[in-house]
């Protein structure tokens, strides 16, 4: 049935949000969803071949319905893939902002032997990141380090919640000259 693998990915992403460690990447499930999208695209293309580019949905309502179902199933699967990967990247970005070494933990986990399950459980599951996620974390960490390097005297990891008070005190660390905000 269309969308079952995508639904499993979304369920896995939802469970991932409340776990202390990031579980292993569901590579096989992602490949299954991608394969399903390609098959649906091939089916839609095969349905349109006899019409030679001039398809009239009112003349062929059955074909139009099949095309609509294929198109909607492809869109849903793509949204499921995006949601799954967005949950994982959010978790990885949060970890980078907290200053934890995700890649170092990943390497330490992969070197932990099966004889030491307690140490492996403290670090997290072994091999939880895909190669693409490892590259993303590495590049995101470099970008974050570059951003923090420019503003070494300001804590960028502070809360992003705005203050509830109507008036607040602002402590100036360095004179930046005249600053213009959107309100003047």
């Amino acid at each position: 049935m269309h969308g079952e693998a995508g639904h499993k990915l979304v369920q896995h992403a939802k469970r991932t949000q409340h776990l202390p460690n990031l579980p292993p990447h569901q590579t096989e499930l992602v490949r299954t969803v991608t394969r399903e999208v390609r098959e649906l695209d091939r089916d839609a293309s095969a349905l349109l071949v006899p019409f030679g580019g001039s398809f009239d949905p009112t003349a062929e309502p059955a074909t139009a319905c099949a095309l609509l179902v294929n198109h909607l199933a492809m869109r849903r699967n793509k949204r499921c893939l995006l949601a799954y990967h967005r949950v994982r990247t959010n978790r990885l970005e949060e970890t980078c902002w907290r200053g934890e070494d995700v890649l170092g933990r990943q390497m330490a986990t992969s070197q932990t032997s099966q004889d030491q399950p307690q140490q492996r459980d403290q670090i997290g599951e072994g091999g939880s990141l895909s190669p693409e996620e490892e590259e993303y974390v590495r590049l995101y960490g470099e970008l974050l380090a570059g951003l923090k390097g420019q503003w070494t005297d300001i804590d960028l990891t502070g809360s992003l919640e705005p203050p509830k008070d109507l008036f607040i005190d602002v402590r100036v660390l360095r004179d930046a000259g005249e600053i213009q905000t959107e309100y003047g």
Side-chain angles (χ1 to χ4, degrees), residues 131-150:
E132 293 82 12
E133 287 175 327
E134 288 179 8
E135 182 180 358
Y136 177 78
V137 167
R138 185 182 56 77
L139 293 174
Y140 189 80
E142 289 175 6
L143 181 69
L144 192 58
L147 177 68
K148 286 182 178 181
Q150 292 176 359

Side-chain angles (χ1 to χ4, degrees), residues 2 40 43-45 47-48 55 57 60-76 79:
H2 298 307
L40 287 166
D43 291 347
S45 298
L47 286 171
L48 290 173
F55 175 68
E60 294 285 334
T63 306
C65 182
L67 284 172
L68 180 65
V69 168
N70 283 351
H71 179 69
L72 291 176
M74 283 189 290
R75 284 185 57 184
R76 183 180 187 281
R79 283 195 320 266

Side-chain angles (χ1 to χ4, degrees), residues 6-176:
H7 182 67
K8 286 180 185 177
L9 267 180
V10 171
Q11 286 178 329
H12 184 75
K14 189 172 182 178
R15 282 191 300 264
T16 298
Q17 290 177 331
H18 303 291
L19 295 175
N21 294 324
L22 194 62
H25 186 266
Q26 297 293 317
T27 306
E28 194 56 41
L29 203 51
V30 168
R31 285 185 184 143
T32 302
V33 173
T34 307
R35 194 175 310 117
E36 184 178 322
V37 168
R38 286 190 191 125
E39 289 172 3
L40 287 166
D41 185 47
R42 268 186 255 130
D43 291 347
S45 298
L47 286 171
L48 290 173
V49 166
F51 298 101
S54 61
F55 175 68
D56 182 21
T58 57
E60 294 285 334
T63 306
C65 182
L67 284 172
L68 180 65
V69 168
N70 283 351
H71 179 69
L72 291 176
M74 283 189 290
R75 284 185 57 184
R76 183 180 187 281
N77 279 341
K78 288 179 183 180
R79 283 195 320 266
C80 291
L81 281 169
L82 289 172
Y84 173 74
H85 285 102
R86 187 63 195 156
V87 166
R88 290 187 66 87
T89 55
N90 282 346
R91 289 285 301 271
L92 293 171
E93 289 172 4
E94 288 172 11
T95 306
C96 287
W97 274 97
R98 283 194 306 260
E100 298 175 16
D101 186 16
V102 179
L103 295 176
R105 184 170 61 188
Q106 178 83 0
M107 293 179 132
T109 304
S110 63
Q111 293 175 357
T112 304
S113 67
Q114 295 293 339
D115 298 335
Q116 300 169 342
Q118 290 177 339
Q119 184 179 358
R120 190 180 71 236
D121 290 342
Q122 290 172 354
I123 296 172
E125 280 299 314
S128 65
L129 300 181
S130 68
E132 293 82 12
E133 287 175 327
E134 288 179 8
E135 182 180 358
Y136 177 78
V137 167
R138 185 182 56 77
L139 293 174
Y140 189 80
E142 289 175 6
L143 181 69
L144 192 58
L147 177 68
K148 286 182 178 181
Q150 292 176 359
W151 308 98
T152 56
D153 52 349
I154 299 174
D155 181 21
L156 296 175
T157 60
S159 175
L160 296 177
E161 294 295 319
K164 303 263 189 252
D165 298 333
L166 188 57
F167 296 103
I168 59 169
D169 291 328
V170 177
R171 187 180 63 170
V172 178
L173 299 175
R174 179 176 52 194
D175 184 16

